[in-house]
């Protein structure tokens, strides 16, 4: 009687441990950074030469034709704009407007397509596409934008 009680307790505790130890966090992957490098037609970096400053860049997520949400936490690193990594943690397409408060001011529209990895707390970036501006895909998350 005592032996079966102990066996049942061990089985019960093992079951609970197995249930709570398996989660989506087991395969968590940090969000990928999306990096924009702004250059002119001569391939000169526009952040490095002072044409673009960190305070002159804003990004808005387009919700619909009447609503946008500002994306905070973007930063300049190595003369490139590194977008807030939470942007890539989304399942599906997203539309954005990048505002460059330069002379003259520029509005750039781009889309990000990403997807959730099944049974995992991670996302893949599939594509970033700019509209009405020349850009080059350096790799999956690094884009050179010609202004």
């Amino acid at each position: 009687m005592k032996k079966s009680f102990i066996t049942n307790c061990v089985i019960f505790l093992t079951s609970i441990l197995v249930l709570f130890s398996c989660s989506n966090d087991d395969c968590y992957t940090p969000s990928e950074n999306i990096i924009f490098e702004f250059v002119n037609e001569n391939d000169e970096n526009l952040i490095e030469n002072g044409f673009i400053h960190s305070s002159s860049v804003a990004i808005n997520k387009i919700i619909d034709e009447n609503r946008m949400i500002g994306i905070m936490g973007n930063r300049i690193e190595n003369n490139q704009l590194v977008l807030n990594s939470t942007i890539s943690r989304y399942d599906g397409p997203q539309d954005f407007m990048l505002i460059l408060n330069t002379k003259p001011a520029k509005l750039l529209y781009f889309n990000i397509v990403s997807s959730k990895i099944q049974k995992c707390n991670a996302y893949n970036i599939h594509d970033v596409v700019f509209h009405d501006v020349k850009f080059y895909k350096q790799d999956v998350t690094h884009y050179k934008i010609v202004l």
Side-chain angles (χ1 to χ4, degrees), residues 70-140:
I71 304 296
M72 307 305 284
N74 306 305
R75 64 189 187 284
I76 302 291
E77 256 179 38
N78 300 320
N79 295 315
Q80 300 170 345
L81 177 66
V82 180
L83 303 187
N84 183 325
S85 62
T86 59
I87 286 177
S88 64
R89 296 191 65 73
Y90 189 79
D91 190 11
Q94 301 178 88
D95 298 319
F96 295 91
M97 177 175 59
L98 181 116
I99 304 160
L100 294 173
N101 190 13
T102 56
K103 293 182 182 178
K106 298 184 183 319
L107 295 178
L108 306 175
Y109 294 90
F110 65 97
N111 307 78
I112 299 174
V113 179
S114 54
S115 64
K116 186 168 183 8
I117 298 171
Q118 294 299 319
K119 298 181 182 179
C120 191
N121 191 13
Y123 295 80
N124 280 332
I125 297 171
H126 299 291
D127 207 7
V128 176
V129 176
F130 288 86
H131 305 282
D132 301 324
V133 67
K134 190 186 321 181
F135 71 98
Y136 300 98
K137 187 174 186 175
Q138 305 296 96
D139 61 42
V140 175

Side-chain angles (χ1 to χ4, degrees), residues 2 6 9 29 53 56 91 106 109 115 120 134 141 147:
K2 194 172 188 181
I6 292 174
C9 283
T29 303
H53 303 277
S56 64
D91 190 11
K106 298 184 183 319
Y109 294 90
S115 64
C120 191
K134 190 186 321 181
T141 60
L147 301 175

Side-chain angles (χ1 to χ4, degrees), residues 1-16:
M1 173 93 168
K2 194 172 188 181
K3 197 172 196 179
S4 68
F5 175 75
I6 292 174
T7 304
N8 287 340
C9 283
V10 169
I11 291 171
F12 176 74
L13 291 174
T14 303
S15 299
I16 297 243

